[in-house]
Amino acid sequence: MKLQMLGTGSAFAKTFYNNNALVYANGYTLLVDCGITAPAALHSLGKSPDEIHALLVTHIHADHVGGLEEIAFRMKFQYQRKPLLYVPEVLAVPLWENALKGGLSQDEGHTLEDYFDVRLMEEGHEYELAPGLCVEIIETPHIPNKASFSLYLNRHLFYSADMRFNPELLHSLVDQRGCDTILHDCQFINPGAVHACLDDLVTLPEFIQQRLWLMHYADNQPEYIGKTGQMRFIEQQRLYDDTELSKLNVEFNEA
């Protein structure tokens, strides 16, 4: 498995694209979330929507689903095929009714299934999306009373999407499930009301920090280089393989 962050920016970042990811496994490409900037980010990489085999949605915010309308229209009318769309079951109706229906509904399409081959996901199950790519969804706290999910990939990589600071979950993943890689959203401003903030993340024990890559950061990210304990910033559009991501960061960063 290889991973390439299509973007690493926060919802309001302008220097960085929306925090969405491309996951590759044996010729298969999964797009994790498809925010407003996703089509432009794909274009900047020289990739077309038709190169994506499936999409997966973690929650319904524009920086995670705002680009789905363009992808849906292009796949239907330009490429004449339905892409696979993996979506947590509780998000399927609100994804259509609250995020996509206004723009996509027309004579040629009145449902989510008219544009996508929808595959519903449930928590507590592992799904093999392709050879070498297994995904489990984990509901994690983000916005109160708004469902949001993180991902556990190939039984060793945790991808937070968006979530509040939850050290108990991180400890259980590392201590009980053998997680060796954590990609975690990070905001620089306190308090961390809907995202984990850096001041909270640096309180994690070193053995967890060494596994942790920071993403979903603001445009002033360069100001924080060298100020993240043993955690690292993941770079947008750089291609990482499993071995590089899982390599522990044992060098202390200078504050």
Side-chain angles (χ1 to χ4, degrees), residues 96-143:
W96 176 254
E97 293 292 334
N98 301 334
L100 298 177
K101 182 178 180 179
L104 287 178
S105 184
Q106 56 178 308
D107 289 343
E108 293 87 354
H110 293 287
T111 68
L112 191 63
E113 290 76 12
D114 287 327
Y115 291 95
F116 299 99
D117 182 358
V118 179
R119 305 292 175 90
L120 300 179
M121 307 179 80
E122 296 180 3
E123 195 172 13
H125 295 270
E126 184 179 73
Y127 299 85
E128 185 178 24
L129 276 56
L133 180 57
C134 295
V135 180
E136 175 188 344
I137 61 171
I138 302 172
E139 187 165 10
T140 45
H142 179 34
I143 302 293

Side-chain angles (χ1 to χ4, degrees), residues 10-81:
S10 67
F12 309 130
K14 299 297 180 286
T15 300
F16 301 103
Y17 291 117
N18 293 152
N19 196 84
N20 307 157
L22 293 167
V23 182
Y24 306 102
N26 297 311
Y28 182 92
T29 301
L30 172 72
L31 174 58
V32 176
D33 288 328
C34 184
I36 295 169
T37 65
L42 285 169
H43 179 75
S44 72
L45 283 174
K47 295 182 179 293
S48 74
D50 195 41
E51 295 178 56
I52 296 169
H53 296 92
L55 304 94
L56 190 156
V57 169
T58 63
H59 65 290
I60 303 173
H61 275 155
D63 58 321
H64 294 264
V65 300
L68 277 177
E69 180 179 310
E70 177 178 335
I71 298 298
F73 275 137
R74 292 185 66 188
M75 292 302 296
K76 185 176 182 69
F77 297 111
Q78 184 177 359
Y79 300 107
Q80 291 83 47
R81 76 171 178 90

